[in-house]
Amino acid sequence: MIEPRPNFMNLALFSQLALALIWLVSLAGEAAESAASVPAYQPTWNSLCTRQTPQWLREGKFGIYTHWGVYSVPAQGPNATWFANHAYQSTNSPERKYWEATYGPLEKFGYKDFIPQFTGEKFNADEWADLFQKAGARFAGPVAEHHDGFCMWDTKYSAWNAARMGPKRDVVGELAVAIKKRHLKFVTAFHHAESWFYFPTWNSNYDCGDPRYSGLYGPIHARNEQPTKAFLDDWKNKVVEVIDKYDPDFLWFDFGLNQITDSYKQEMLAYYYNRAAAEHKEVVVTYKFHHLPPGAGLLDLELGQERDLTYYDWITDSTVDDGQGWGYVKGQGYKTVDNLVINLVDRVSKNGYLLLNVGPKPDGTIPDEARQSLLGLGAWLKINGEAIYSTTPWQVAGEGPTQLAKPGSNFNEENHLQCTGQDIRFTVKGNALYAIVLAWPGERVLIQSFAPKFNWPGLYPSEIASITMLGDGHKLKWVMTPDGLSIATPTIRPCASACVFKIERHSPFSSAH
């Protein structure tokens, strides 16, 4: 028997192929390792504008933040956080006149002299976080530093902070623990870019012009001078320190972001977004006006809302007081539960989110009126949150006679809108379409947006599986008319504010129906 001879040419070819395969695998590994070492975001607008809105924000819709600082001691309006600015900058302002009548000449009693009265002896981070959770918030947190230069965390970049002075507590740190413990996303807000111009540091007649206090009031500089490198470094270092120490899910920036040159904003954003990507978490940064390019963050509208459904999502910062107090102001009024509900519903129906401010007192307690309004909103959400959380807008935001009187999207919020039973807003989730009626409609409601019109077939009666009201649950009688969908209301109202009709739908031509 003749043994087969080995084919050395085939063996050599096999060896070469094996070596080539090993080399390719090695190259792929090196490429993967190299790609992993390259940050997901570069500090360029082209790269940073590829960020996406976090899913938790799309689902959560509503959050609360707090303006608590030294400005809560004088507690004067109309805006508590701008009281000191007006007092220092304008000798004839009502704020200056009040200041000097109450505390004496500004030359002898400055803003720094309020700090010993900012005691925070009743501050309890767990109590705050409990209230925010009961109010229905899905994200919450404090202003880390306002225009006034006083930091609310234990920072190495300034001795003028709440851990060393005033409350002598790391307010940001304590709230980070309390809020995350309740599985809420953590917010930190920054206004400190405005400290470049908030106090007239160029005026040596006041303490803000004394270099001994520059750590609080900001560096001494000429009026209208551009921010210096030292100031910009300090701005970025503080933000990065808060990111590293407290791991916030949400960075909120006031309009002072416009003071910061591009490279500093780009480096800060790239650092934050890459750190989050490395931890496999979703984060969001908000900005006002056009202070970031579209897509680099989420647009924030101050005390405002869109008048119509938008193609982009946005957030608005509003406040639980009924004016523009922002911080605690003695004697200020507060929004009613009805108004808070309308504020939230209207924004969500138009592709927006709501960040609502609360201003605690200098002792750290939240005013009873604010607490009651928030708890009322939470009670409404406990019944009707299904129509808010994890929803998307429908193709029509709403209908009804009550519209915003002011044009634009910033500062057009109206605190005393009197809605009717014909004012309706829409959201959707799964097969459910929610019609949120902003006032009790009486025995029946007519939803005109569902009627057929030119180039719009309306809802088919055969696609409506059932209609119920949240908080009631019983199937309601309805009829489709040429004017719209007419629904009989329950005999007992499930809540005092807006009511929600849940319309379950299926395909109008399904054989199963």
Side-chain angles (χ1 to χ4, degrees):
M1 181 176 179
I2 300 173
E3 294 290 333
R5 300 176 63 184
N7 189 330
F8 292 105
M9 291 185 64
N10 287 343
L11 287 173
L13 181 61
F14 177 80
S15 298
Q16 290 176 353
L17 288 173
L19 287 171
L21 182 60
I22 292 170
W23 179 71
L24 287 172
V25 169
S26 174
L27 276 182
E30 290 176 6
E33 184 178 347
S34 175
S37 66
V38 175
Y41 292 94
Q42 300 297 324
T44 65
W45 293 133
N46 284 3
S47 177
L48 294 167
C49 288
T50 62
R51 52 138 309 267
Q52 299 292 320
T53 300
Q55 188 62 27
W56 60 258
L57 181 57
R58 291 185 177 277
E59 294 175 357
K61 308 293 185 184
F62 168 54
I64 295 173
Y65 72 150
T66 58
H67 283 63
W68 190 44
V70 179
Y71 43 84
S72 66
V73 174
Q76 292 300 303
N79 185 324
T81 63
W82 283 95
F83 170 72
N85 169 268
H86 296 326
Y88 271 83
Q89 299 273 15
S90 176
T91 57
N92 295 317
S93 65
E95 290 84 355
R96 172 69 77 88
K97 292 175 181 177
Y98 175 87
W99 187 300
E100 298 198 330
T102 308
Y103 308 108
L106 186 59
E107 292 84 352
K108 296 185 179 298
F109 186 97
Y111 187 73
K112 69 181 185 308
D113 300 307
F114 287 122
I115 295 174
Q117 302 174 55
F118 178 46
T119 57
E121 71 272 15
K122 296 181 180 179
F123 167 62
N124 186 311
D126 282 307
E127 287 184 3
W128 286 20
D130 278 340
L131 175 62
F132 303 156
Q133 188 175 47
K134 290 175 181 176
R138 296 296 174 87
F139 45 97
V143 167
E145 184 178 346
H146 216 283
H147 324 114
D148 61 351
F150 191 80
C151 301
M152 297 301 292
W153 75 98
D154 187 10
T155 174
K156 66 182 179 182
Y157 294 106
S158 174
W160 300 85
N161 69 71
R164 301 187 193 182
M165 300 179 178
K168 296 185 178 178
R169 308 268 294 274
D170 184 349
V171 173
V172 174
E174 290 186 37
L175 284 170
V177 172
I179 287 167
K180 292 179 182 182
K181 185 166 64 177
R182 287 155 180 82
H183 306 291
L184 307 181
K185 299 298 182 179
F186 185 54
V187 180
T188 52
F190 295 93
H191 302 246
H192 63 306
E194 285 130 276
S195 64
W196 181 254
F197 59 80
Y198 185 82
F199 291 104
T201 60
W202 49 87
N203 191 335
S204 60
N205 292 325
Y206 306 132
D207 57 350
C208 62
D210 187 330
R212 292 178 298 170
Y213 308 122
S214 293
L216 175 66
Y217 296 121
I220 295 171
H221 60 88
R223 190 195 298 264
N224 298 325
E225 182 182 346
Q226 286 180 304
T228 61
K229 180 180 185 301
F231 177 83
L232 294 170
D233 286 343
D234 187 68
W235 174 85
K236 186 179 77 170
N237 288 338
K238 286 179 175 178
V239 177
V240 169
E241 183 182 50
V242 168
I243 293 170
D244 288 343
K245 290 186 72 169
Y246 309 112
D247 195 25
D249 304 282
F250 185 152
L251 298 183
W252 182 98
F253 289 98
D254 199 26
F255 73 91
L257 196 60
N258 202 38
Q259 289 277 121
I260 307 302
T261 192
D262 273 12
S263 61
Y264 279 80
K265 290 188 284 194
Q266 291 166 336
E267 290 167 7
M268 179 273 295
L269 289 171
Y271 181 82
Y272 184 48
Y273 290 156
N274 286 325
R275 189 180 187 279
E279 296 176 354
H280 305 288
K281 64 181 287 185
E282 295 181 301
V283 296
V284 65
V285 172
T286 62
Y287 67 96
K288 294 185 176 179
F289 305 105
H290 291 290
H291 298 169
L292 291 180
L298 180 69
L299 178 65
D300 175 82
L301 310 175
E302 181 173 347
L303 288 175
Q305 56 206 94
E306 295 286 1
R307 300 184 75 175
D308 301 297
L309 177 61
T310 60
Y311 296 102
Y312 55 90
D313 60 339
W314 45 276
I315 194 167
T316 176
D317 59 314
S318 183
T319 181
V320 73
D321 64 82
D322 66 357
Q324 297 183 26
W326 290 109
Y328 171 64
V329 174
K330 297 171 186 174
Q332 71 183 345
Y334 291 87
K335 290 182 172 72
T336 64
V337 175
D338 277 351
N339 187 264
L340 291 177
V341 169
I342 292 169
N343 266 278
L344 176 60
V345 169
D346 186 73
R347 287 160 169 82
V348 171
S349 71
K350 295 171 181 175
N351 208 17
Y353 318 107
L354 175 62
L355 180 61
L356 186 66
N357 167 69
V358 178
K361 295 179 179 180
D363 66 1
T365 58
I366 292 176
D368 288 340
E369 301 93 331
R371 180 182 297 274
Q372 293 308 311
S373 292
L374 291 176
L375 291 173
L377 176 58
W380 185 87
L381 281 166
K382 193 170 184 178
I383 295 172
N384 301 289
E386 179 184 334
I388 300 295
Y389 303 123
S390 301
T391 62
T392 61
W394 192 46
Q395 63 190 63
V396 176
E399 63 178 67
T402 308
Q403 301 293 330
L404 294 171
K406 300 175 186 176
S409 51
N410 286 282
F411 302 103
N412 67 342
E413 180 181 278
E414 296 180 41
N415 292 329
H416 304 290
L417 278 178
Q418 296 296 316
C419 292
T420 72
Q422 290 76 50
D423 291 303
I424 305 169
R425 300 293 183 268
F426 304 112
T427 61
V428 293
K429 178 165 54 183
N431 292 324
L433 170 58
Y434 300 95
I436 309 170
V437 184
L438 300 181
W440 186 251
E443 294 182 357
R444 301 192 73 86
V445 64
L446 180 67
I447 306 176
Q448 299 179 50
S449 296
F450 298 163
K453 300 180 182 66
F454 174 73
N455 203 30
W456 160 238
L459 294 191
Y460 289 80
S462 58
E463 74 179 283
I464 299 175
S466 66
I467 301 177
T468 56
M469 180 176 286
L470 297 185
D472 177 74
H474 295 94
K475 289 187 177 181
L476 302 175
K477 295 181 179 180
W478 58 271
V479 61
M480 185 66 78
T481 74
D483 297 320
L485 178 64
S486 177
I487 309 171
T489 57
T491 55
I492 300 176
R493 293 180 61 172
C495 58
S497 297
C499 58
V500 181
F501 292 91
K502 179 180 182 179
I503 304 164
E504 291 277 10
R505 297 186 295 167
H506 48 230
S507 169
F509 309 113
S510 171
S511 59
H513 307 295

